[in-house]
């Protein structure tokens, strides 16, 4: 279901303007409207230049458009603003693993999530895949 600006405004009327721009950007990203999404995220950053979520979404958008370098930069920015943003750490790890083939960096990111947030099952899953690919079957099963 496509959401219009009016529908999103009604749904988000309790949210801050920054959050409204971010939600609109997410919808545009899902629709493949990247220029519109970027415009909304830039508006969110004008309101709050320290928005870790806006930077994270810019990273997601860059990833979808195949701009791995920008995705890496935006994920790192979001983590500089909020080191506890574990879903950004996970996405950065997946970017390193699957797209950039920088396995050691991927392991570092997933290990960080496991250490700081041991309930985050996806980090364990990704580490298991990497260790299996490297032939470390024993480590992959742990």
């Amino acid at each position: 279901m496509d959401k219009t600006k009016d529908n999103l405004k009604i749904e988000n009327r309790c949210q801050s303007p920054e959050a409204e721009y971010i939600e609109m950007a997410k919808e545009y990203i899902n629709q493949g409207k990247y220029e519109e999404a970027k415009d909304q995220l830039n508006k969110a950053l004008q309101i709050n230049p320290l928005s870790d979520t806006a930077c994270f979404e810019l990273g997601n958008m860059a990833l979808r458009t195949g701009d791995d370098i920008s995705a890496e930069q935006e994920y790192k920015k979001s983590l500089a603003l909020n080191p506890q943003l574990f879903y950004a750490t996970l996405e950065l790890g997946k970017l390193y693993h699957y797209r950039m083939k920088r396995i050691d960096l991927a392991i570092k990111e997933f290990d960080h999530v496991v250490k700081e947030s041991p309930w985050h099952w996806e980090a364990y899953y990704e580490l298991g895949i990497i260790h299996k690919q490297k032939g470390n079957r024993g480590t992959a099963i742990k």
Side-chain angles (χ1 to χ4, degrees):
M1 174 179 137
D2 284 351
K3 294 186 177 182
T4 64
K5 267 188 184 177
D6 292 335
N7 287 341
L8 276 177
K9 283 184 181 176
I10 290 167
E11 288 176 17
N12 299 326
R13 74 178 91 175
C14 296
Q15 292 183 348
S16 69
E18 172 196 349
E20 287 183 28
Y21 287 128
I22 291 170
E23 287 304 311
M24 181 61 78
K26 288 179 186 179
E27 280 303 316
Y28 282 137
I29 291 169
N30 288 334
Q31 296 170 17
K33 298 177 179 178
Y34 302 116
E35 286 303 316
E36 291 91 337
K38 187 175 183 177
D39 181 53
Q40 296 299 308
L41 292 169
N42 285 331
K43 287 179 182 177
L45 287 167
Q46 286 174 351
I47 293 169
N48 178 7
L50 302 178
S51 174
D52 56 351
T53 305
C55 292
F56 174 74
E57 292 302 334
L58 281 168
N60 287 341
M61 186 178 67
L63 191 66
R64 283 205 179 177
T65 60
D67 187 351
D68 295 347
I69 301 301
S70 291
E72 178 186 28
Q73 290 170 346
E74 293 299 336
Y75 290 146
K76 284 182 174 182
K77 265 192 234 176
S78 68
L79 289 166
L81 293 166
N82 181 358
Q84 302 300 311
L85 200 64
F86 296 120
Y87 51 89
T89 309
L90 280 168
E91 290 304 316
L92 184 59
K94 289 192 279 187
L95 172 67
Y96 286 147
H97 179 202
Y98 297 108
R99 303 275 288 262
M100 300 177 111
K101 308 299 183 203
R102 297 166 71 184
I103 304 304
D104 291 338
L105 289 176
I107 290 171
K108 179 182 168 208
E109 297 302 328
F110 297 136
D111 279 344
H112 175 71
V113 174
V114 166
K115 179 183 173 207
E116 297 296 323
S117 181
W119 51 267
H120 233 303
W121 66 268
E122 193 172 1
Y124 291 102
Y125 175 79
E126 294 295 339
L127 282 167
I129 289 173
I130 290 172
H131 287 297
K132 183 179 179 196
Q133 289 172 343
K134 291 178 87 173
N136 302 335
R137 191 176 191 296
T139 307
I141 311 176
K142 279 193 210 178

